[in-house]
Amino acid sequence: MAQYKPLEYLEHLKKIVPDYVDQINAIRETYDNKLWHQLTKLIEVFVITPQMLEKKELHNFYNNFIKDFEAKLKPLSLVEICIAIARQFDIDESRKFIESISKKVSKDKSAYILSLSYMANSNLRAGTDQLQECKKTLEIAKEELQGITGLDWIVYSSFYRVSTDYYMAKNQASEFYKNALMYLSYCKLETIPQEEQASLAYNLCIAALVGENVYGFGDLIANPILKALEGSQHSWLIAFLKAFNIGDIAQFEQLMSQHRDIISQQTAITNNMQKLRQKISILALLELAFRTPSDQRSISFQKIAQATKLPDTEIEHLLMKSLSLGLIKGSIDQTVQIIHITWVTPRILDLNQINSMNNRITEWFNKTKSSLKIVEDDTVDLVA
């Protein structure tokens, strides 16, 4: 296509998309008056109009118009506009286009990281042979993010979204879980299509259950993303998570029996059943330790066996596993078969657990008050 000067191109564009003459006139007016912020806002809307997409005109719009003043635009806005334009290219062309833009905005953290996230996503969409390139780009973006706070939410959202998709592709449940929760913390839930919400919620539940180092489900249980599963064929997963969160083995067994037909079709669960049983046993131990006052955490193996529904012979192994994972701290007295727990990993609490903590605080307050009264009653009045 012939090259145009900016204003000539806008006149040419009116013939291509005649329904948008008013918008093009507004774009020209702000361009003539060098109102770069207002122009940015108009372009952000214009590049996502159906006719511009249909006519395959976005690349020409960039080359003949935006390129003339792109240095005047806020770098992050430029990248966002160019990402919209890149949708008209194939995967390889879009990656190369955004890569060229990334070099122009490399001094701006937000813009550079957003462009890197898009490039990583392009690698991911290109197929498994580009996963290594995706990883390299994500590592660069992650390094750029180190020690930086206060960036625009879309920067964090885009980075954690592509990281989530990458770890999903690599089948790394723990990393998927962590990055997906970070993505949701920055993303506005209403911007995610309902079907995609349901898929993400399902995958998060499975990742929480089978993830190697996932022993806290409070973040997910409290997240509104789980509402996407309510009333669906996977709604049982919500109850499943809640049972795991408090180490309720009886509820776990009941749910396994109640939903055995659908669970039998979930290979991620059936292939990891031994791991799941060990995980809920550890969570039952954590719940027992949490509910036990800190000054009474010398807990017998027998009591742990009752809480975890494990035979006595397996308790020491369970404790060693929990200690090695850093979920508890303490020492084991093998002679009398007792563990002295000095610390339990922090957890996000549900309402029942908060109520339990409230009761313990009340109990501590009453004991302190009683002790203070004893001290006051036994103190001899001193007369000057």
Side-chain angles (χ1 to χ4, degrees), residues 75 94 125 299 318 360:
S94 69
R125 290 186 293 122
I299 307 173
L318 178 74
R360 284 161 54 193

Side-chain angles (χ1 to χ4, degrees), residues 8-61:
E8 291 176 346
Y9 174 73
L10 291 181
E11 292 304 312
H12 171 74
L13 189 58
K14 291 177 183 179
K15 299 174 185 177
I16 297 175
V17 285
D19 292 345
Y20 295 103
V21 169
D22 289 343
Q23 289 93 322
I24 295 171
N25 285 335
I27 287 172
R28 172 167 183 162
E29 183 179 351
T30 53
Y31 173 78
D32 285 340
N33 291 298
K34 296 181 172 56
L35 301 173
W36 307 121
H37 176 71
Q38 291 89 330
L39 180 58
T40 298
K41 295 301 179 185
L42 290 172
I43 290 175
E44 286 175 345
V45 174
F46 190 65
V47 294
I48 60 173
T49 53
Q51 281 198 27
M52 286 296 285
L53 292 170
E54 181 185 333
K55 298 290 185 179
K56 305 289 185 183
E57 191 60 27
L58 288 174
H59 196 200
N60 293 326
F61 184 57

Side-chain angles (χ1 to χ4, degrees), residues 128-137 139 166 170:
T128 54
D129 59 328
Q130 288 293 310
L131 283 179
Q132 189 59 32
E133 285 301 314
C134 176
K135 181 183 178 182
K136 288 179 182 178
T137 307
E139 286 173 348
Y166 169 76
K170 293 291 288 183

Side-chain angles (χ1 to χ4, degrees), residues 291-323:
R291 291 185 179 277
T292 303
S294 58
D295 59 348
Q296 299 174 25
R297 285 185 179 161
S298 292
I299 307 173
S300 69
F301 285 19
Q302 182 181 11
K303 191 172 183 179
I304 294 170
Q306 291 172 352
T308 61
K309 305 291 191 284
L310 290 175
D312 294 348
T313 54
E314 294 183 22
I315 299 304
E316 187 173 351
H317 175 73
L318 178 74
L319 294 174
M320 295 297 291
K321 179 72 174 177
S322 302
L323 287 164

Side-chain angles (χ1 to χ4, degrees), residues 7 53 90 130 163 253 283 301:
L7 296 181
L53 292 170
D90 63 31
Q130 288 293 310
S163 297
E253 296 293 356
L283 289 166
F301 285 19

